[in-house]
């Protein structure tokens, strides 16, 4: 049998216990917060049929699918067809050699589940899903081929109360994780569309204009102006657009200034979008979200993706790693999958970004690399039974307790084991303690120790 | 874009919220119990290199690997080589078209991690791992292609205190899940080996004899006798073997009778194995495991796999679905991977079997299909803010609370939504309640309701 030397596959990660202490705590906090808002867990298989996945992620996305090789007779047949074919290119090969692939995101499986179980699921249906996805991207710092996505969606409601609830949930998640300074930037996709029209951007230049605005964080206002000029937008129109997206202030002030300084209010869609936003800001107050935590940011675009209503993204100024969580309303996407239009609002938490930001800001740091709280010594076979009894008493009291696994090793070695693992408490059960039915407790951080009766020790 | 009609891939499962209420609770109980015994979490990637996996599962196992198709230029090169080859059989095709595959079990990734991080991990190292594995078996009732394994192992200790600890942990896990009647059958691989030798089974017939004994549960003593005769075992030897494996009684009695009625005690390995067992039974008493929960069952074999010391499996008579958890000591397996012998003891919980057994025994049943505890009505846009305030107060008190997602729907519909989902409590906030800053609470199981001030309601 060959010896194993290699590590994890390129772009994937092993999570050792020291990594999982924080990671599992964060995941538990996410789940708990979602469930506290009535969102329920959903899990879908790792493998999906390629006809479910294909046509959803664009040509570039599809190249990144991890496809499963057919097996046995299916594989033989695929190979025979490929050998006989004149086109043996990548496209033909993947089609003939594979019909299943790994999950690429959580949205398509969610859409499949909604379509498949639509008669069983009570609508509106709120679900969260925290599972890994796979993309054969070129691995680089902070980008992996296997990574967790965390999506929270509500399907079946057109009420903007959902948007408000999601924003309150995002605020609470980040608060619980220890983030103090962050801003949820809120905007509205229909408002952007209406703004383009009302400020005189020709229909043919709307996309180019939005793409330019989307780059504001990266290239600054001057860069956006340059891009707009290159795209062929009239200078006076560009100036009006720049003026509108530069309006800042408290959310209600931005609404008021947009009504006063642009034509948005007299546009049907623009007015509706502004009223959506006003409703959401009102709900956020009822939900107790401080106004310092969010902004109405007219320059937020979130790409040219599938959003149709409110959009949002979250930045932490002290940890510029990109958006920590983002989302919005996408009323037409699920309909494309199911054949029945189903309104949907979703938020996605960037797990890797959140951990990176927490690291930069020093959040969630612990003085231990283990969840274990106590080590019970085992000093010779004669004392193992007494050590076990002590351990069971500690465990019954809810203390995570490890019994040292080699009773032939000297106390010094067992102490050093506890210290290296960062276990804070050592319970020593030697001959004296066993005979007296006592236990010596040593606090490994202070070095203090005390010999107590079993009852008192617990 | 094509409409999605298909379900999950053959042999895989979607887990809807109603499935995950119980499932996540069981998983949490498993994790909590393992951690209470000082076992720490480990997670490894879904995808492993095929050179890590190959040569570990036998020819039949290897056929069941889900292999990843190469991509881009790698795929083109593989296809070109395959087309040019004279051997285009399955073996050649898989080798040329793939070099990564999905995790087949949790043991090989564990061995890889131990080998890779051996200088970082504090030995003895206790870990648990609960992750899915993939096997392209023919799907059938109770057998899936994607299923969770749950392994708990301790590497780096030869002490039989580990075996005792694992048995105590298994007992506690099953107890927490609600199992009342179950038996952990304990035996020792070296004892079986010594027994074969001491009772006169020729070395060439040892495997055949063990294989026959392993079938005792299925074919009964007469069947085993017939198998032994077919294998060519002398009748008088077969009789001695059958007598030894039929010894029952309290664990200590079985030990005493084996010493008295067989030659085991005078065999070096046999005597050592009996002393291991005596030590474990003593430790189990110290760990508070009732003697009714386990047996010393000389007929337990656990296949011809890699075990070297104590072995065990667990049956629940009321739910005959096979072993709920099983394991033992395997001191040479990890060494085969790492090139350095590392003693190891492990236990595997059969997740699917445990859920099936729980279902048969009616354990873990809940009267709800949701984790959500309260629904707050939304009766018209004017009341949404007040509903939100009520919901936030309930959530702050730790109550998992959903706000109804469509404020235009009548109360009756909202009530029926709560009833269908099995949410036990409805908080109604209508015009009257909002104006009086009160809330009406209705217990949907009894139908009782009461209108209270906000503070009292919580």
């Amino acid at each position: 049998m060959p010896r194993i030397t290699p590590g994890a596959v390129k772009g994937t990660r092993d999570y050792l216990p020291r990594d999982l202490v924080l990671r599992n705590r964060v995941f538990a906090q996410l789940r708990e917060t979602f469930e506290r808002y009535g969102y329920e867990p959903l899990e879908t298989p790792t493998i999906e049929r390629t006809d479910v996945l294909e046509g959803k992620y664009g040509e570039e996305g599809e190249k990144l699918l991890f496809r499963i090789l057919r097996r046995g007779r299916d594989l033989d047949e695929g190979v025979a067809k490929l050998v006989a074919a004149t086109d043996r290119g990548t496209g033909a090969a993947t089609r003939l050699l594979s019909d299943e692939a790994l999950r690429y995101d959580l949205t398509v499986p969610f859409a499949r589940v909604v379509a498949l179980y639509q008669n069983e699921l009570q609508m509106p249906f709120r679900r969260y899903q925290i599972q890994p996805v796979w993309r054969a991207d070129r691995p680089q710092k902070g980008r992996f081929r296997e990574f967790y996505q965390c999506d929270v969606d509500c399907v079946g409601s057109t009420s903007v109360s959902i948007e408000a609830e999601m924003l309150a949930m995002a605020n609470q998640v980040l608060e619980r994780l220890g983030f103090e300074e962050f801003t949820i930037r809120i905007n509205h996709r229909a408002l952007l569309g209406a703004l383009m029209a009302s400020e005189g951007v020709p229909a043919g230049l709307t996309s180019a204009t939005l793409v330019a605005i989307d780059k504001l964080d990266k290239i600054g206002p001057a860069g956006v102006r340059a891009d707009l000029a290159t795209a062929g937008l009239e200078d006076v129109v560009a100036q009006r657009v720049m003026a509108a997206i530069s309006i800042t202030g408290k959310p209600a002030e931005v609404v008021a200034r947009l009504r006063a300084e642009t034509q948005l209010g007299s546009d049907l869609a623009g007015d509706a979008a502004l009223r959506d936003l006003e409703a959401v800001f009102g709900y956020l107050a009822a939900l107790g979200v401080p106004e310092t935590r969010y902004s109405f940011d007219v320059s937020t675009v979130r790409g040219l993706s599938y959003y149709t209503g409110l959009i949002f993204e979250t930045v932490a100024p002290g940890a510029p790693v990109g958006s920590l969580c983002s989302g919005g309303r996408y009323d037409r996407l699920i309909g494309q999958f199911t054949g029945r239009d189903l309104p949907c609002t979703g938020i996605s938490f960037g797990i890797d970004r959140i951990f990176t930001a927490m690291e930069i800001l020093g959040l969630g740091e612990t003085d231990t690399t283990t969840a274990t709280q106590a080590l019970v010594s085992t000093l010779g076979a004669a004392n193992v039974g007494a050590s076990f009894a002590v351990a069971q008493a500690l465990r019954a009291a809810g203390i995570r307790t490890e019994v040292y696994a080699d009773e032939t090793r000297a106390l010094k070695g067992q102490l050093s084991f506890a210290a290296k693992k960062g276990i804070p408490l050592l319970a020593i059960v030697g001959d004296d303690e066993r005979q007296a039915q006592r236990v010596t407790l040593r606090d490994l951080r202070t070095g203090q120790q005390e010999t107590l009766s079993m009852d008192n020790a617990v």
Side-chain angles (χ1 to χ4, degrees), chain A:
Chain A
M1 212 176 282
R3 283 175 53 174
I4 297 173
T5 43
V9 160
K10 194 168 69 164
T12 71
R13 290 165 280 185
D14 290 316
Y15 292 104
L16 300 188
R18 57 152 196 261
D19 308 314
L20 289 169
V21 172
L22 177 63
R23 195 169 171 86
N24 285 347
R25 196 173 68 210
V26 167
F27 278 28
Q29 285 172 335
L30 291 170
R31 288 175 186 282
E32 200 181 286
T33 307
F34 302 154
E35 292 188 4
R36 201 160 283 186
Y37 280 79
Y39 286 79
E40 301 187 280
L42 175 74
E43 290 181 17
T44 62
T46 294
I47 306 169
E48 294 278 358
R49 286 172 43 172
T50 43
D51 58 4
V52 171
L53 302 178
E54 282 172 346
K56 313 298 186 302
Y57 306 117
E59 207 183 318
E60 283 310 302
E62 242 159 70
K63 280 189 193 154
L64 305 183
L65 284 176
F66 277 95
R67 293 170 192 268
I68 305 286
L69 184 65
R70 288 176 193 262
R71 289 166 302 275
R73 199 181 303 171
D74 284 351
L75 177 59
D76 291 340
E77 282 172 14
V79 168
K81 280 186 193 159
L82 188 63
V83 170
T86 46
D87 171 13
R88 295 183 196 134
T90 317
T94 52
R95 200 178 58 248
L96 289 167
L97 300 172
S98 169
D99 59 3
E100 295 171 346
L102 302 193
R103 185 169 54 221
Y104 180 89
D105 71 1
L106 303 179
T107 306
V108 168
F110 176 52
R112 180 180 59 69
V113 164
V114 169
L116 191 63
Y117 303 96
Q118 50 189 316
N119 298 326
E120 268 177 80
L121 297 173
Q122 295 303 319
M123 296 285 175
F125 174 53
R126 289 172 166 94
R127 85 87 172 79
Y128 71 85
Q129 192 168 355
I130 308 179
Q131 289 194 287
V133 301
W134 293 266
R135 296 180 185 181
D137 248 325
R138 191 178 300 275
Q140 50 181 259
K141 194 172 155 32
R143 191 198 280 169
F144 295 91
R145 292 184 155 185
E146 172 179 83
F147 58 97
Y148 271 76
Q149 284 195 340
C150 170
D151 281 14
V152 189
D153 296 87
C154 175
V155 62
S157 171
T158 56
S159 171
V160 290
S161 68
I162 299 301
E163 280 89 323
E165 171 183 281
M166 294 231 172
L167 293 167
M169 204 166 56
N171 175 61
Q172 199 163 335
V173 162
L174 295 177
E175 222 172 48
R176 279 194 70 179
L177 296 181
F179 288 92
E180 283 164 8
E181 281 187 61
F182 59 87
T183 305
I184 309 178
R185 294 173 177 168
I186 302 171
N187 199 8
H188 198 296
R189 180 53 66 93
L191 180 140
L192 280 173
L195 186 72
M196 298 298 106
S198 69
E199 301 314 297
V201 177
L205 289 182
T206 300
S207 290
T209 306
L210 289 175
V211 167
I213 296 172
D214 203 16
K215 288 154 75 182
L216 182 63
D217 267 357
K218 283 187 198 139
I219 61 176
V224 176
R225 279 299 295 267
D227 273 13
L228 293 180
T230 310
L233 194 68
E234 246 185 290
D235 207 49
V236 55
V237 175
Q239 213 165 333
R240 279 205 296 269
V241 168
M242 293 305 290
I245 66 166
S246 307
I247 294 175
T248 55
K250 292 194 173 188
E253 290 166 15
V254 178
V255 173
R257 283 188 56 192
L258 280 172
R259 284 199 192 281
E261 296 170 26
T262 72
Q263 304 304 310
L264 263 182
S266 49
D267 177 286
L268 206 64
D271 184 58
L274 284 171
R275 281 188 287 111
D276 275 357
L277 286 159
E278 285 173 312
V280 168
F281 299 145
Y283 291 154
L284 286 177
L287 285 159
V289 180
E291 223 179 55
T292 50
R293 287 285 169 69
Y294 61 92
S295 67
F296 175 11
D297 183 330
V298 192
S299 71
T300 294
V301 178
R302 304 270 338 125
L304 291 178
S305 48
Y306 44 74
Y307 294 112
T308 55
L310 210 83
I311 49 176
F312 47 89
E313 61 187 23
T314 308
V315 290
V321 295
S323 178
L324 300 180
C325 59
S326 56
R329 176 169 286 280
Y330 55 103
D331 279 349
R332 283 187 290 272
L333 185 76
I334 300 265
Q336 290 179 318
F337 293 109
T338 60
R340 176 164 80 105
D341 245 4
L342 275 171
C344 205
T345 303
I347 183 167
S348 220
F349 290 82
I351 296 289
D352 284 324
R353 280 181 181 168
I354 285 175
F355 280 111
T356 308
M358 286 178 76
E359 203 183 325
I360 293 172
L361 297 171
L363 307 178
E365 278 180 6
T366 57
D367 52 357
T368 168
T369 53
T370 176
T372 304
Q373 297 163 310
L375 178 74
V376 181
S377 72
T378 47
L379 300 166
N383 294 315
V384 170
S387 296
F388 272 148
V390 168
Q392 290 301 70
L394 293 173
R395 287 167 186 152
I399 297 164
R400 292 187 292 275
T401 304
E402 175 170 359
V403 176
Y404 191 74
D406 178 2
E407 67 273 16
T408 63
R409 198 170 177 200
L411 181 60
K412 202 179 150 193
Q414 303 193 21
L415 226 156
S416 130
F417 173 86
K420 277 184 191 153
K421 280 190 74 164
I423 300 173
L425 184 76
L426 179 66
I428 304 169
V429 187
D431 295 332
D432 295 348
E433 284 88 356
R434 172 174 51 89
Q435 280 153 18
Q437 293 200 292
R438 293 169 80 84
V439 54
T440 299
L441 295 184
R442 182 182 297 185
D443 184 326
L444 292 180
R445 286 179 286 207
T446 65
Q448 281 188 314
Q449 74 174 47
E450 202 173 347
T451 302
L452 299 163
S453 75
M454 286 272 292
D455 288 350
N456 288 337
V458 170

